[in-house]
Amino acid sequence: MMEGLDDGPDFLSEEDRGLKAINVDLQSDAALQVDISDALSERDKVKFTVHTKSSLPNFKQNEFSVVRQHEEFIWLHDSFVENEDYAGYIIPPAPPRPDFDASREKLQKLGEGEGSMTKEEFTKMKQELEAEYLAIFKKTVAMHEVFLCRVAAHPILRRDLNFHVFLEYNQDLSVRGKNKKEKLEDFFKNMVKSADGVIVSGVKDVDDFFEHERTFLLEYHNRVKDASAKSDRMTRSHKSAADDYNRIGSSLYALGTQDSTDICKFFLKVSELFDKTRKIEARVSADEDLKLSDLLKYYLRESQAAKDLLYRRSRSLVDYENANKALDKARAKNKDVLQAETSQQLCCQKFEKISESAKQELIDFKTRRVAAFRKNLVELAELELKHAKVEYVSRARWLTPVIPALWEAKAGRSRGQEIETILATTGNLQLLQNCLAVLNGDT
Amino acid sequence: MAAEREPPPLGDGKPTDFEDLEDGEDLFTSTVSTLESSPSSPEPASLPAEDISANSNGPKPTEVVLDDDREDLFAEATEEVSLDSPEREPILSSEPSPAVTPVTPTTLIAPRIESKSMSAPVIFDRSREEIEEEANGDIFDIEIGVSDPEKVGDGMNAYMAYRVTTKTSLSMFSKSEFSVKRRFSDFLGLHSKLASKYLHVGYIVPPAPEKSIVGMTKVKVGKEDSSSTEFVEKRRAALERYLQRTVKHPTLLQDPDLRQFLESSELPRAVNTQALSGAGILRMVNKAADAVNKMTIKMNESDAWFEEKQQQFENLDQQLRELHVSVEALVCHRKELSANTAAFAKSAAMLGNSEDHTALSRALSQLAEVEEKIDQLHQEQAFADFYMFSELLSDYIRLIAAVKGVFDHRMKCWQKWEDAQITLLKKREAEAKMMVANKPDKIQQAKNEIREWEAKVQQGERDFEQISKTIRKEVGRFEKERVKDFKTVIIKYLESLVQTQQQLIKYWEAFLPEAKAIA
């Protein structure tokens, strides 16, 4: 998938393949397959190579690639949102802006502080930061890809003309980011929309299904927001704890190299152990981040999109009711009746169209959500288990040779040998546990 | 076993020396030896006790010994030293006698019992003097616990009283198990008494825990929150470690003040430890004067050993401080992690509640539970991080400061000697002048003064030699202690990490089927 990126540490490679459908369970449709085959990170922008394989007649070729930037994705998303025809669908949420600022800052600071730390420390930290950078990079690529895949999988949206242009047009789309005036306009639009949303949501819905969905989504959205924020914080503290192990490892190493007593070898070994621990802990936190935090973040955005859908439906319902009232008034006054009738018809049609598709969309949303959660939670548990076991075994293995080595005498030697053989042959966790228990309880 | 030897990077060759000894039961060839049996072993019976004048050492609960190695008995010997002050002096000044040396290894016949020990490589580092010091053969066995912090009194005059329990079979104590109530200033008083008696002759007196005005005020005011309980617990642990270190020191154990501290139910209040008392101010002035002096004394170091050691301790100090900072950061972050995990657990539970798909909802609630348990784990781990690792480091940073103080005292001693020599020279010059000027009465006076100062010079030299010797011994002992301490604690700490991992595995294993069950 990303050939140009595999120079980083391998620890993300397993998640790499999973990233494709990380948060959404999509069926890959032979008629239209979209993916991001490559990505390049330049100074302050990322260039994605969007690769399409399609058997649809709309396209000139069966397989082609274009280079796109983040703003062009946003343009596409916005065009969906603004398109009235798509009012009845959940618009796939736009991918978040690639944000390398924090990582870049850290790399810069590291470069400045190069003189103040030892060479080993410097290389270690540099590797770490580079890995972090790579991880963020991979994540942002995945987010953009997910967006495209969702659009491609949607039966209606995939036929959108803008989408085809986006996929095919191999020149720059010359989509510029919104200038200040437009941003301000957007801001006001949003304010009006949220005020409107409040008014509209006061209207009780006739349809039970939608009423239920509305209350559910509202609550769910808030709780996902909360969970996502907390999960973020948790993974961040996990990461800083892992970083601390790094520093402790280096300090112990320094102690070990400068100490003159026989404890120096011991220190060196312990420092090694801490290093290994740190790597594992860093992976744990990265995995947590990927499986849990990202999942929650994605569903935060999707639930927002679903809420938007409901809002649009309610809006159209209100419009329909207003049109009804206008029609009644016109009929009463016997003025512009035809006009009122046509507008009422339009509103009615619109409302019904939206309701129909919205129902389906919401049901799909639920299915997708359950599947995604299941997938990620299972993977999270499996990864956590894997890491915990690796860490446990490595530590236990480290400890047991140390203790027999200290025994070093007749009675002790045989015992130590015993344990070593057990470890070597079975590597069985349970046995290891027993050994440790024996060692600990041994008096 | 040569005297004054640095702890050799042991481990390899040494055990073999003992191979032969391991079988023999009749290795007693000297009367001056202490037989040490492994802790918790009523071994004396099996030993040819008649041959030894020393009694076997009883259980040494303070030592956690992993194995019953003969070699380890030596290592433990450092703690098991039982001194008898009157005998010490002559022994210390004697030259290594060949008769004593071979004895030491041979006395370790006692069949060992399984006991945990982390110090096998350190066996031979038991210096000759300590063996000689065990002349009296008193069983070194003393276990100190500090527990039950109790608030006594009210308001600003309140204080915490701790119960100090001693379990011992040493003969110098009247009972074998007793406890007293002490307050923090009593500990400080003990330390200041010991310091005033022993520091200036070169003994490394373990420093007492630090005062903390903020912490104590919170306790006095009666705030019953977690930070004040934490503070009390931290202090209690520190006091316990302080006492344990102090009694481990063979010389200090003999001190009557220490005995009084441990035994007598009523102790005169140590007012001099208060920061703002007259004594406190005097201490501060002295400290400042000392600092100035240190800079001005330019010592002519004849012994490279001291210079080397001082440099070593400087380095060690710096590294320990660095390590301490990192470990404190780890403790802090882990506490943060625990808090964040708890918050996330609650949030996930709420999410599970609002989810209308039943299986997913259940799975999310399970996730919340798992995370809560993990949070507990993190908390415990942070606790362990702190009490084992971080406190050990800060203890040693303070100990090294004490070591440096001892080196400074040596410098001062040298200075005194130098001054005496200079004065003697001056007196001799004065005498010579008198001879020339031919004033018989003044000459007599000058001769008297010369004799006086000659004696002083000799005394100064002896003192200097004495303190140098003591310091060498003390530093050797300190290094051994340090090695053992660090190893023990770090291994314990790593074991705690292993336990945490075990638990983590259990939790996630329980969660996995739940996650898979989401249909």
Side-chain angles (χ1 to χ4, degrees):
Chain A
M1 180 163 85
M2 296 175 209
E3 293 82 19
L5 304 179
D6 281 337
D7 35 35
D10 221 5
F11 79 99
L12 280 184
S13 59
E14 46 187 84
E15 281 91 66
D16 221 5
R17 268 150 260 130
L19 281 178
K20 194 170 181 125
I22 177 180
N23 293 321
V24 285
D25 216 8
L26 302 165
Q27 308 105 329
S28 42
D29 197 338
L32 180 62
Q33 265 179 326
V34 185
D35 64 85
I36 297 188
S37 57
D38 199 1
L40 249 159
S41 162
E42 288 181 5
R43 294 215 98 231
D44 53 353
K45 47 191 176 202
V46 183
K47 294 212 167 99
F48 303 95
T49 308
V50 178
H51 167 250
T52 320
K53 231 198 306 210
S54 166
S55 50
L56 290 177
N58 328 46
F59 298 112
K60 298 201 204 90
Q61 303 162 297
N62 276 352
E63 195 168 337
F64 47 89
S65 299
V66 290
V67 176
R68 290 285 171 249
Q69 288 184 26
H70 174 75
E71 287 80 16
E72 294 165 330
F73 286 80
I74 300 298
W75 164 81
L76 183 62
H77 173 258
D78 286 347
S79 75
F80 287 151
V81 169
E82 288 162 7
N83 192 332
E84 283 283 327
D85 287 340
Y86 301 141
Y89 306 115
I90 296 183
I91 311 290
R97 204 173 158 286
D99 181 20
F100 294 103
D101 291 340
S103 187
R104 215 173 279 139
E105 238 183 75
K106 276 200 235 173
L107 266 173
Q108 207 179 13
K109 251 197 276 182
L110 180 67
E112 286 168 8
E114 182 175 352
S116 67
M117 49 180 113
T118 67
K119 191 141 184 288
E120 296 98 15
E121 252 181 61
F122 179 71
T123 22
K124 251 200 271 186
M125 288 203 67
K126 185 147 171 264
Q127 273 176 355
E128 219 179 280
L129 283 180
E130 283 177 349
E132 209 180 290
Y133 191 88
L134 193 63
I136 298 181
F137 189 67
K138 283 187 175 172
K139 257 208 280 193
T140 188
V141 169
M143 302 274 187
H144 286 77
E145 195 179 50
V146 159
F147 170 70
L148 288 179
C149 291
R150 281 268 278 125
V151 175
H154 196 282
I156 307 298
L157 290 177
R158 70 177 4 182
R159 294 193 228 128
D160 181 78
L161 202 59
N162 280 336
F163 184 48
H164 291 178
V165 167
F166 177 91
L167 288 177
E168 209 177 3
Y169 189 62
N170 53 11
Q171 312 276 344
D172 189 11
L173 284 176
S174 44
V175 165
R176 54 174 174 69
K178 301 203 170 141
N179 62 17
K180 266 208 195 129
K181 176 156 168 277
E182 285 171 345
K183 285 204 185 132
L184 207 56
E185 278 175 12
D186 268 350
F187 176 67
F188 279 124
K189 256 198 259 174
N190 278 333
M191 290 216 33
V192 168
K193 186 170 140 208
S194 39
D196 196 28
V198 171
I199 298 171
V200 157
S201 61
V203 175
K204 177 137 170 56
D205 207 316
V206 268
D207 194 332
D208 270 345
F209 173 79
F210 284 106
E211 187 62 29
H212 166 82
E213 283 296 311
R214 187 161 58 181
T215 28
F216 164 72
L217 266 180
L218 216 55
E219 197 188 45
Y220 189 79
H221 176 79
N222 287 337
R223 295 207 175 153
V224 165
K225 203 192 301 195
D226 188 45
S228 163
K230 302 255 164 73
S231 162
D232 258 347
R233 254 185 281 168
M234 182 172 79
T235 33
R236 262 205 303 270
S237 359
H238 217 134
K239 191 157 187 313
S240 22
D243 284 342
D244 285 332
Y245 278 121
N246 199 7
R247 270 191 294 268
I248 294 183
S250 337
S251 304
L252 280 174
Y253 184 79
L255 257 179
T257 47
Q258 300 201 20
D259 206 314
S260 61
T261 60
D262 56 345
I263 204 179
C264 64
K265 264 184 288 176
F266 179 76
F267 275 142
L268 288 174
K269 279 228 185 113
V270 177
S271 129
E272 244 175 66
L273 187 71
F274 270 101
D275 266 347
K276 268 199 232 139
T277 303
R278 185 202 72 80
K279 286 208 187 84
I280 297 181
E281 292 273 322
R283 284 177 81 148
V284 169
S285 98
D287 284 339
E288 256 179 33
D289 191 26
L290 213 57
K291 300 290 166 193
L292 206 49
S293 303
D294 278 355
L295 174 72
L296 291 170
K297 269 192 272 216
Y298 186 79
Y299 275 93
L300 180 63
R301 291 200 299 275
E302 270 241 25
S303 58
Q304 181 62 47
K307 269 170 72 181
D308 287 344
L309 168 63
L310 281 180
Y311 161 72
R312 288 196 291 271
R313 181 176 166 281
S314 305
R315 176 83 254 159
S316 79
L317 176 61
V318 168
D319 286 343
Y320 179 39
E321 289 183 347
N322 288 344
N324 272 338
K325 286 198 204 123
L327 182 61
D328 287 342
K329 239 202 295 192
R331 286 215 177 117
K333 287 200 196 146
N334 213 353
K335 202 161 126 191
D336 296 324
V337 171
L338 196 60
Q339 197 183 16
E341 268 183 358
T342 30
S343 81
Q344 193 255 24
Q345 288 278 37
L346 275 173
C347 284
C348 178
Q349 273 171 359
K350 181 169 170 205
F351 172 68
E352 290 189 342
K353 180 166 155 232
I354 290 182
S355 291
E356 204 182 300
S357 54
K359 196 164 194 161
Q360 190 53 47
E361 287 281 307
L362 287 171
I363 293 176
D364 283 344
F365 173 60
K366 181 164 172 170
T367 332
R368 264 203 319 272
R369 187 176 79 237
V370 170
F373 266 81
R374 179 184 191 282
K375 180 165 178 289
N376 280 297
L377 287 179
V378 167
E379 285 176 0
L380 174 71
E382 285 176 346
L383 280 172
E384 292 262 5
L385 256 179
K386 183 176 104 168
H387 290 316
K389 283 190 180 147
V390 165
E391 204 171 348
Y392 173 75
V393 169
S394 83
R395 276 192 191 140
R397 195 163 264 159
W398 185 93
L399 271 179
T400 33
V402 168
I403 296 172
L406 291 175
W407 290 2
E408 207 137 83
K410 211 174 44 163
R413 202 168 288 143
S414 56
R415 184 76 58 88
Q417 213 69 316
E418 225 173 88
I419 294 192
E420 294 233 37
T421 7
I422 292 177
L423 272 181
T425 53
T426 64
N428 187 325
L429 259 187
Q430 187 56 41
L431 211 43
L432 203 57
Q433 261 167 276
N434 291 340
C435 293
L436 269 185
V438 160
L439 283 174
N440 287 340
D442 203 2
T443 38
Chain B
M1 276 226 339
E4 320 272 278
R5 202 176 46 190
E6 292 293 344
L10 266 190
D12 313 301
K14 294 308 175 173
T16 51
D17 289 350
F18 282 44
E19 302 294 359
D20 351 277
L21 308 173
E22 282 169 20
D23 343 304
E25 302 286 302
D26 49 357
L27 306 167
F28 295 92
T29 56
S30 143
T31 53
V32 182
S33 44
T34 310
L35 181 69
E36 294 136 42
S37 58
S38 282
S40 66
S41 89
E43 295 310 321
S46 51
L47 302 164
E50 317 81 54
D51 293 357
I52 342 157
S53 60
N55 317 331
S56 38
N57 285 339
K60 197 175 28 68
T62 42
E63 285 302 291
V64 199
V65 204
L66 235 193
D67 93 289
D68 50 354
D69 236 351
R70 192 160 303 178
E71 293 91 81
D72 281 319
L73 293 181
F74 273 130
E76 298 153 28
T78 57
E79 283 65 46
E80 296 170 11
V81 163
S82 49
L83 298 180
D84 200 3
S85 334
E87 290 202 19
R88 202 183 67 238
E89 294 300 29
I91 290 173
L92 277 179
S93 43
S94 72
E95 283 308 296
S97 63
V100 181
T101 327
V103 163
T104 352
T106 64
T107 60
L108 300 187
I109 340 151
R112 274 138 277 119
I113 328 145
E114 300 291 335
S115 31
K116 287 189 190 168
S117 157
M118 304 289 178
S119 41
V122 188
I123 11 166
F124 281 80
D125 306 334
R126 183 185 160 157
S127 60
R128 174 191 48 83
E129 281 90 355
E130 289 177 283
I131 301 160
E132 295 167 300
E133 284 160 1
E134 291 159 24
N136 197 16
D138 223 349
I139 307 164
F140 181 87
D141 155 37
I142 178 161
E143 181 189 324
I144 310 253
V146 174
S147 56
D148 306 327
E150 244 188 289
K151 186 161 168 217
V152 177
D154 238 338
M156 285 315 284
N157 289 328
Y159 62 89
M160 293 302 275
Y162 303 89
R163 176 179 297 285
V164 177
T165 317
T166 320
K167 286 200 193 84
T168 174
S169 47
L170 285 170
S171 54
M172 64 179 172
F173 292 103
S174 48
K175 288 184 276 193
S176 66
E177 191 167 331
F178 47 88
S179 76
V180 289
K181 281 256 183 211
R182 294 280 177 257
R183 56 183 288 185
F184 186 65
S185 52
D186 292 338
F187 288 83
L188 292 182
L190 172 69
H191 170 74
S192 82
K193 281 196 214 132
L194 291 177
S196 63
K197 279 195 261 183
Y198 293 99
L199 254 187
H200 64 93
V201 285
Y203 287 98
I204 302 174
V205 179
E210 289 172 344
K211 284 170 142 335
S212 161
I213 301 185
V214 174
M216 263 330 273
T217 318
K218 266 208 224 152
V219 173
K220 287 190 202 215
V221 168
K223 263 179 87 177
E224 279 298 327
D225 64 356
S226 61
S227 70
S228 58
T229 31
E230 247 181 71
F231 171 77
V232 170
E233 172 56 29
K234 187 173 156 190
R235 179 164 273 196
R236 182 206 68 79
L239 289 174
E240 192 173 81
R241 284 195 310 271
Y242 164 65
L243 277 185
Q244 280 170 347
R245 275 212 189 87
T246 312
V247 298
K248 275 199 201 143
H249 195 297
T251 320
L252 294 181
L253 183 58
Q254 298 293 312
D255 188 277
D257 275 326
L258 179 60
R259 231 174 303 165
Q260 187 191 30
F261 179 86
L262 290 175
E263 273 189 322
S264 60
S265 48
E266 279 305 316
L267 208 60
R269 264 252 359 237
V271 224
N272 289 343
T273 58
Q274 283 167 348
L276 295 179
S277 68
I281 305 219
L282 192 62
R283 265 202 304 276
M284 282 193 275
V285 170
N286 278 340
K287 253 198 243 177
D290 279 348
V292 172
N293 275 343
K294 208 161 56 156
M295 292 188 270
T296 54
I297 295 183
K298 190 64 187 98
M299 175 156 164
N300 215 347
E301 187 57 77
S302 54
D303 195 342
W305 186 90
F306 283 92
E307 216 168 294
E308 208 182 287
K309 277 295 162 187
Q310 263 183 299
Q311 190 55 42
Q312 252 177 33
F313 280 116
E314 275 298 328
N315 287 346
L316 189 61
D317 187 32
Q318 201 175 0
Q319 281 152 4
L320 283 183
R321 273 177 210 272
E322 252 177 59
L323 186 57
H324 186 228
V325 165
S326 313
V327 175
E328 295 223 295
L330 177 64
V331 171
C332 176
H333 284 138
R334 226 200 270 269
K335 287 207 183 126
E336 222 177 82
L337 176 59
S338 148
N340 287 340
T341 313
F344 175 70
K346 283 205 198 86
S347 181
M350 299 262 292
L351 190 62
N353 278 343
S354 65
E355 175 66 62
D356 54 358
H357 186 266
T358 24
L360 180 57
S361 163
R362 196 177 41 238
L364 282 173
S365 313
Q366 288 289 80
L367 179 68
E369 263 179 49
V370 166
E371 293 287 345
E372 225 180 278
K373 287 196 213 140
I374 292 183
D375 151 53
Q376 269 306 102
L377 262 188
H378 282 310
Q379 256 186 21
E380 285 166 14
Q381 184 60 58
F383 202 71
D385 283 349
F386 180 69
Y387 279 106
M388 287 193 220
F389 212 173
S390 169
E391 287 283 85
L392 169 80
L393 290 172
S394 52
D395 278 352
Y396 266 90
I397 291 176
R398 279 205 313 274
L399 265 172
I400 290 188
V403 171
K404 286 206 260 188
V406 153
F407 276 97
D408 290 342
H409 275 296
R410 178 171 170 274
M411 266 214 302
K412 273 198 271 189
C413 193
W414 181 86
Q415 185 70 32
K416 235 170 81 175
W417 181 28
E418 266 296 295
D419 288 345
Q421 281 183 318
I422 292 173
T423 323
L424 179 63
L425 214 60
K426 278 201 218 141
K427 297 290 176 194
R428 285 221 171 104
E429 282 173 10
E431 191 212 16
K433 269 198 237 154
M434 296 302 164
M435 298 285 255
V436 167
N438 214 345
K439 290 189 189 145
D441 50 334
K442 289 248 171 80
I443 292 180
Q444 187 53 43
Q445 184 191 7
K447 282 215 199 297
N448 285 341
E449 283 181 354
I450 289 182
R451 223 167 305 149
E452 185 192 324
W453 279 97
E454 270 175 358
K456 282 208 184 131
V457 167
Q458 271 179 0
Q459 181 63 37
E461 182 169 6
R462 265 205 304 274
D463 281 344
F464 183 69
E465 301 275 290
Q466 181 61 34
I467 198 176
S468 301
K469 198 157 28 167
T470 314
I471 289 185
R472 274 180 197 262
K473 187 163 61 95
E474 284 288 293
V475 166
R477 211 185 120 265
F478 176 76
E479 297 274 281
K480 264 178 278 167
E481 277 296 304
R482 174 168 77 90
V483 165
K484 193 142 46 119
D485 254 348
F486 268 82
K487 273 199 182 146
T488 324
V489 168
I490 289 189
I491 290 188
K492 244 199 305 193
Y493 175 65
L494 288 174
E495 278 173 2
S496 83
L497 288 178
V498 170
Q499 304 280 59
T500 310
Q501 287 309 113
Q502 258 178 297
Q503 287 295 87
L504 262 180
I505 291 177
K506 261 194 242 157
Y507 294 151
W508 284 110
E509 271 179 349
F511 174 69
L512 191 55
E514 277 293 334
K516 288 201 170 137
I518 304 174

